[in-house]
């Protein structure tokens, strides 16, 4: 059933929501946010300059792999509430505009590249109607919101700016958007907070914590959270280095310290470290911003967090050399995983792919398997050999490296694949395989952060 508002806009009859929303930028964050807001009953227009993306999204097709998003998107397109366009004029009647564009690492520095955020503000500011709220969700250097608010005031004094950082994880984007563990809003007026409370009313009804902050604090919450997570991972990877040197086992150590509720057991998975489009570039941009603010020393520790993280990749290569010898030319290595983490086809700053590239560079005959990310990986590194056929990847290999912990790798029956390989030899770079199972099946298994001679546990 269709109806129309006094302004003549089509609305779905079962939509009980007053506000109309625009979402600028339709990557992981924006596409998910647009579909999720539509599922809450809002009329939403998603805007992106990439015509190909817009065409796919309009057909209900997600241009990347994100579990559950395909279904949500096509369901919402079918309701008529959710549309996509490359024309900013479509946002002119919207009440709230979410800026969800990327802030990648700049080409020549640690800082964030603000081109897309600046472009989004410049495009939406002149068309935003009076009284509308422009809400940044992108991860930005602290101070950006205040600067954009000033710019907005000079272009369109009737609109207001707020910041509402997003904490979604790839692979859980839908769940994290519709059931976030907190909502943080940086506002400069009660009115802005009221509008955002109306947007998130259904989530507030679920008792999701609501935190009102000023603009800089809201911006900082995001980078502080990601810095903490990165620190936790690098902490356990530093312990992994010590365990290797002292004949210990980092997985047992992580389990033992994780029982202390002040520490907690999440994000203590030692291995080849963190990658992706967020953690690495966010801690670097945070350091760059602290420098500008004259507070360099406060974040000096993040430099070490970054180094420990990158060192985990080098340690993996060293383990390979310890196994196959220094000269890797022509040595057959099967690599399990190209994505930066499971349940994602994202290969941005992927530790797995970085290791594969380095081994390839050293002359090894590398074949890489990934259930979802081979196309993205091939686009980045066309010279590498990718396959979606696990058997094909393993065939004739002298060494397997387990680098992204997809479920299908954990479910491999080590006896069933033994006939495919030249040598029953594997290194677990994610500490996610069932060691006892592999060792019992006669495999030589090593893992990062574990004494070289593995004691089968369990
Ligand atoms: C992260 C934050 O979790 C999220 O809140 C923010 O909005 C965006 O950045 P994401 O990049 O999707 O999300 O991935 P995340 O699940 O945090 O993992 C990041 C990296 O850390 C992955 O490469 C993962 O393999 C690695 N990791 C994670 C570990 O090496 N060990 C762990 O214990 C956990």
């Amino acid at each position: 059933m269709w109806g129309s508002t006094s302004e003549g806009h089509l609305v779905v009859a079962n939509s009980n929501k007053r506000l109309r929303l625009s979402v600028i930028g339709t990557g992981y964050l924006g596409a998910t946010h647009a579909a999720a807001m539509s599922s809450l009953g809002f009329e939403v227009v998603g805007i992106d300059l990439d015509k190909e993306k817009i065409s796919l999204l309009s057909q209900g097709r997600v241009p990347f792999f994100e579990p559950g998003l395909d279904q949500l998107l096509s369901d919402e397109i079918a309701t008529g509430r959710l549309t996509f366009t490359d024309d900013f004029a479509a946002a002119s009647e919207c009440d709230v505009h979410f800026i969800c564009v990327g802030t990648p690492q700049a080409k020549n520095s640690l800082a964030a590249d603000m081109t897309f955020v600046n472009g989004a503000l410049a495009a939406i500011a002149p068309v935003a109607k009076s009284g509308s709220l422009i809400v940044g969700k992108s991860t930005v250097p602290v101070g950006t919101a205040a600067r954009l608010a000033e710019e907005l005031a000079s272009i369109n004094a009737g609109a207001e700016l707020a910041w509402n950082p997003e904490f979604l994880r790839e692979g859980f984007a839908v769940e994290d958007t519709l059931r976030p563990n907190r909502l943080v809003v940086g506002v400069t007026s009660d009115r802005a907070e009221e509008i955002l409370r109306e947007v998130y009313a259904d989530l507030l009804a679920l008792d999701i914590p609501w935190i009102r902050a000023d603009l800089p604090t809201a911006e900082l919450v995001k980078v502080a959270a990601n810095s903490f997570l990165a620190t936790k991972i690098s902490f356990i990877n530093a312990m992994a280095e010590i365990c290797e040197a002292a004949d210990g086992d980092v997985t047992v150590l992580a389990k033992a310290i994780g029982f202390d509720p002040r520490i907690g057991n999440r994000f203590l998975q030692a291995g080849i470290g963190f990658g992706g489009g967020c953690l690495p570039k966010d801690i670097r941009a945070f350091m760059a911003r602290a420098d500008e603010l004259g507070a360099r020393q406060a974040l000096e520790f993040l430099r070490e967090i970054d180094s420990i993280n990158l060192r985990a990749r080098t340690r993996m290569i060293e383990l390979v050399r310890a196994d196959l010898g220094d000269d890797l030319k022509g040595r057959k290595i099967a690599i399990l995983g190209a994505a930066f983490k499971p349940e994602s086809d994202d290969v941005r700053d992927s530790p797995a792919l970085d290791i594969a590239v380095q081994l390839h560079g050293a002359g090894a005959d590398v074949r890489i398997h990934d259930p979802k990310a081979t196309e993205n990986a091939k686009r980045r590194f066309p010279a590498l050999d990718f396959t979606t056929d696990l058997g094909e990847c393993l065939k004739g290999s002298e060494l397997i490296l387990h680098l992204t912990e997809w479920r299908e790798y954990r479910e491999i029956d080590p006896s069933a694949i033994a006939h495919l390989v030249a040598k029953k030899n594997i290194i677990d770079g994610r500490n996610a395989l069932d060691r006892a199972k592999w060792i019992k099946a006669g495999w030589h298994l090593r893992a990062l952060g574990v004494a070289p001679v593995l004691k089968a546990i369990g």
Side-chain angles (χ1 to χ4, degrees):
M1 275 281 288
W2 294 90
S4 74
T5 63
S6 51
E7 297 90 3
H9 281 271
L10 284 177
V11 289
V12 179
N14 68 0
S15 169
N16 56 356
K17 299 289 163 76
R18 186 180 62 85
L19 299 174
R20 271 172 296 184
L21 317 180
S22 86
V23 174
I24 300 153
T26 58
Y28 286 98
L29 167 57
T32 312
H33 191 66
M37 292 302 108
S38 170
S39 79
L40 296 177
F42 294 105
E43 206 183 313
V44 183
V45 57
I47 305 174
D48 203 296
L49 299 178
D50 184 336
K51 287 189 168 47
E52 200 184 319
K53 235 189 224 172
I54 289 301
S55 156
L56 283 171
L57 289 164
S58 300
Q59 298 163 46
R61 289 164 58 199
V62 182
F64 47 86
F65 173 67
E66 181 59 46
L69 186 55
D70 278 73
Q71 190 63 48
L72 184 72
L73 181 77
S74 51
D75 288 354
E76 292 311 311
I77 296 265
T79 66
R81 283 191 297 269
L82 178 61
T83 54
F84 291 93
T85 177
D86 61 353
D87 183 5
F88 274 81
S92 61
E93 291 304 318
C94 291
D95 305 284
V96 185
H97 311 275
F98 289 100
I99 296 182
C100 297
V101 294
T103 50
Q105 185 172 335
K107 292 244 167 349
N108 305 316
S109 77
L110 294 184
D113 177 351
M114 299 303 291
T115 313
F116 304 114
V117 169
N118 295 339
L121 195 274
I124 195 65
V127 298
K129 72 176 177 183
S130 180
S132 65
L133 187 65
I134 299 176
V135 184
K137 286 189 85 65
S138 309
T139 303
V140 292
V142 59
T144 302
R147 170 175 65 79
L148 295 182
E150 264 180 41
E151 275 170 42
L152 178 62
S154 70
I155 304 169
N156 181 345
E160 191 178 341
L161 192 102
W163 218 262
N164 167 218
E166 178 59 53
F167 305 99
L168 67 79
R169 297 160 298 167
E170 288 178 24
F172 299 89
V174 174
E175 188 186 324
D176 285 353
T177 305
L178 288 170
R179 299 277 182 280
N181 44 34
R182 77 287 211 192
L183 286 160
V184 178
V185 296
V187 291
T188 52
S189 74
D190 290 343
R191 186 178 162 274
E193 183 184 3
E194 273 159 30
I195 293 173
L196 285 166
R197 276 187 180 274
E198 191 173 337
V199 169
Y200 292 120
D202 289 0
L203 307 191
L204 289 173
L206 301 171
D207 280 340
I208 287 165
W210 178 264
I211 294 153
R212 173 176 170 159
D214 52 31
L215 293 177
T217 307
E219 294 169 308
L220 281 171
V221 169
K222 174 63 191 265
V223 280
N226 274 358
S227 298
F228 194 88
L229 294 172
T231 302
K232 222 175 162 188
I233 299 169
S234 277
F235 172 82
I236 203 63
N237 283 334
M239 293 304 109
E241 291 185 39
I242 299 293
C243 282
E244 280 166 18
D247 234 10
D249 183 335
V250 73
T251 63
V252 179
L253 182 144
K255 190 172 168 188
I257 63 172
F259 276 114
D260 182 334
R262 293 170 303 174
I263 295 173
N265 59 11
R266 314 258 321 256
F267 265 65
L268 283 183
Q269 188 86 19
I272 57 172
F274 59 81
C278 293
L279 259 44
K281 66 102 178 155
D282 285 353
I283 61 168
R284 291 171 196 155
F286 199 13
M287 284 187 271
R289 185 65 186 133
D291 235 353
E292 288 170 6
L293 292 169
R296 180 194 175 108
Q297 223 179 349
L299 297 188
E300 206 51 65
F301 75 98
L302 286 179
R303 227 168 284 279
E304 197 51 43
I305 298 304
D306 204 6
S307 307
I308 295 168
N309 191 52
L310 296 176
R311 210 153 62 220
R313 304 175 190 186
T314 313
R315 283 167 44 233
M316 180 48 116
I317 311 267
E318 281 165 6
L319 257 185
V320 171
R321 287 192 196 279
D323 191 274
L324 296 179
D326 259 349
D327 185 7
L328 295 176
K329 272 193 206 78
R331 307 304 295 269
K332 276 187 171 312
I333 302 175
I335 293 193
L336 304 186
F340 85 103
K341 69 172 190 180
E343 300 304 323
S344 172
D345 65 356
D346 195 345
V347 297
R348 285 176 294 171
D349 204 346
S350 164
L353 205 46
D354 189 7
I355 289 165
V357 168
Q358 290 190 49
L359 292 173
H360 173 79
D365 179 358
V366 173
R367 187 164 287 178
I368 308 150
H369 175 272
D370 193 285
K372 297 285 177 197
T374 53
E375 271 180 43
N376 283 344
K378 183 133 200 103
R379 219 167 293 137
R380 260 173 208 237
F381 299 105
L384 265 64
D385 187 4
F386 296 99
T387 175
T388 50
D389 180 332
L390 189 57
E392 204 45 48
C393 173
L394 299 177
K395 216 190 294 168
S397 73
E398 303 168 69
L399 175 63
I400 302 175
L401 304 183
H402 174 240
L403 301 186
T404 311
E405 67 278 35
W406 285 96
R407 173 141 50 124
E408 74 171 269
Y409 301 148
R410 291 202 300 277
E411 288 174 351
I412 290 175
D413 175 352
S415 305
I417 60 161
H419 70 284
L420 290 170
V421 298
K423 244 175 131 186
K424 293 204 284 182
N425 199 9
I426 182 163
I427 303 177
D428 185 1
R430 289 292 185 183
N431 280 300
L433 299 176
D434 180 344
R435 292 181 198 167
K437 188 169 85 173
W438 286 80
I439 292 170
K440 216 160 125 206
W443 284 72
H444 181 228
L445 183 145
R446 272 131 314 123
L448 273 189
V450 183
V453 182
L454 246 183
K455 309 133 199 163
I457 296 178

